[in-house]
Amino acid sequence: MTAKRDLTTTRKQVFGDVEPGTECRICGRNVEDGRRKVCSDYCDNIQTAVMGMLNWSSLRRRVIDRDDETCTQCGWDREIRRRAREHIRGLIAEAAGEQPTSPSMKELGEQDDVDWDQHRQRYREWRERRDAAKDKYGDPERDFGRSLEVDHITPIADGGHPFDPGNLQTLCTKCHTEKTAVENSERASTPSRGDLSRELTEFVTDGSGK
Ligand SMILES: [Zn+2]
Ligand SMILES: [Zn+2]
């Protein structure tokens, strides 16, 4: 059984806890004016900015936006996926021919002896041509389903910073899988990298994240 990878970092973990209405968790000044844990908008903005850095999903979004939604290794982007799918769908449709349709209710009313065996045969043949074309050209849904992911340029296990945008890059699924495979084989002789969430939590709660 594997531990759930919880990448959530709480304000309490980052700034420590304070009694509401006592001292500012950011600067330590007195909290007044009905405020709870920060003394001012200034400190509230600092809190929000820091939490944004430590929140994986917002950081991930920022990195992908910064990289123009494009794989920094191979240049793949969603527009390439859209055009590739469209192109492959066209090739398959051309190779398979028009899909045979079942006789309509109108046709069924007009003719009393529909040749179902012939219809099933035509449909089977069409499906075989379509599947052969998918084998040849690729399945537009399955084989072009790459998406964008965010990669740690220097892996956390090798001392890379987990949240510094400078250590993060956008990769497509394919490039990310390849890079990870190389990293894992290089690391095969060294001890296991352990659990990501534990490393992130340690980073945040001790050492440089204190
Ligand atoms: Zn303050
Ligand atoms: Zn790529």
Side-chain angles (χ1 to χ4, degrees):
M1 203 165 127
T2 54
K4 185 167 173 280
R5 288 187 166 179
D6 184 1
L7 298 184
T8 313
T9 304
T10 64
R11 289 167 183 226
K12 191 172 155 185
Q13 276 177 304
V14 178
F15 301 110
D17 205 15
V18 291
E19 279 295 315
T22 57
E23 59 177 308
C24 175
R25 71 183 351 166
I26 305 294
C27 72
R29 290 198 190 96
N30 288 340
V31 171
E32 289 156 3
D33 305 333
R35 289 177 183 268
R36 288 171 53 77
K37 298 193 174 185
V38 288
C39 70
S40 58
D41 288 348
Y42 179 81
C43 284
D44 197 26
N45 289 341
I46 291 176
Q47 177 173 246
T48 304
V50 171
M51 290 313 292
M53 291 290 295
L54 298 178
N55 178 291
W56 180 248
S57 63
S58 72
L59 185 56
R60 183 184 167 283
R61 188 64 253 164
R62 288 211 330 245
V63 169
I64 292 178
D65 282 348
R66 179 199 66 190
D67 294 342
D68 290 332
E69 303 194 326
T70 304
C71 174
T72 53
Q73 290 298 301
C74 74
W76 183 93
D77 65 14
R78 295 189 178 99
E79 175 62 14
I80 290 176
R81 175 173 66 196
R82 193 191 64 74
R83 291 209 315 261
R85 278 183 171 163
E86 199 175 276
H87 181 66
I88 299 299
R89 280 195 201 107
L91 289 176
I92 291 170
E94 201 180 301
E98 201 182 330
Q99 177 175 351
T101 52
S102 305
S104 67
M105 291 311 284
K106 183 165 174 292
E107 284 166 336
L108 286 175
E110 283 165 2
Q111 56 190 117
D112 22 78
D113 56 339
V114 174
D115 190 341
W116 287 105
D117 281 344
Q118 194 199 37
H119 172 72
R120 273 195 286 269
Q121 176 67 18
R122 287 208 333 259
Y123 186 78
R124 206 166 24 240
E125 284 168 6
W126 170 81
R127 216 171 48 197
E128 280 167 14
R129 288 194 301 273
R130 185 203 59 186
D131 291 348
K134 278 189 183 179
D135 284 344
K136 182 175 174 185
Y137 300 117
D139 184 323
E141 314 311 321
R142 196 193 57 210
D143 298 337
F144 297 87
R146 274 188 229 184
S147 56
L148 294 172
E149 299 176 353
V150 170
D151 168 62
H152 289 93
I153 297 169
T154 301
I156 300 170
D158 296 339
H161 195 300
F163 301 111
D164 177 6
N167 189 40
L168 296 170
Q169 65 180 349
T170 304
L171 292 182
C172 72
T173 325
K174 184 167 175 284
C175 291
H176 200 190
T177 304
E178 287 169 7
K179 180 172 181 278
T180 305
V182 171
E183 287 165 0
N184 285 345
S185 71
E186 282 169 353
R187 205 176 291 121
S189 53
T190 63
S192 140
R193 60 179 302 198
D195 183 79
L196 178 61
S197 80
R198 184 174 50 75
E199 287 168 26
L200 292 177
T201 306
E202 279 171 6
F203 181 86
V204 167
T205 51
D206 62 52
S208 40
K210 209 169 227 170

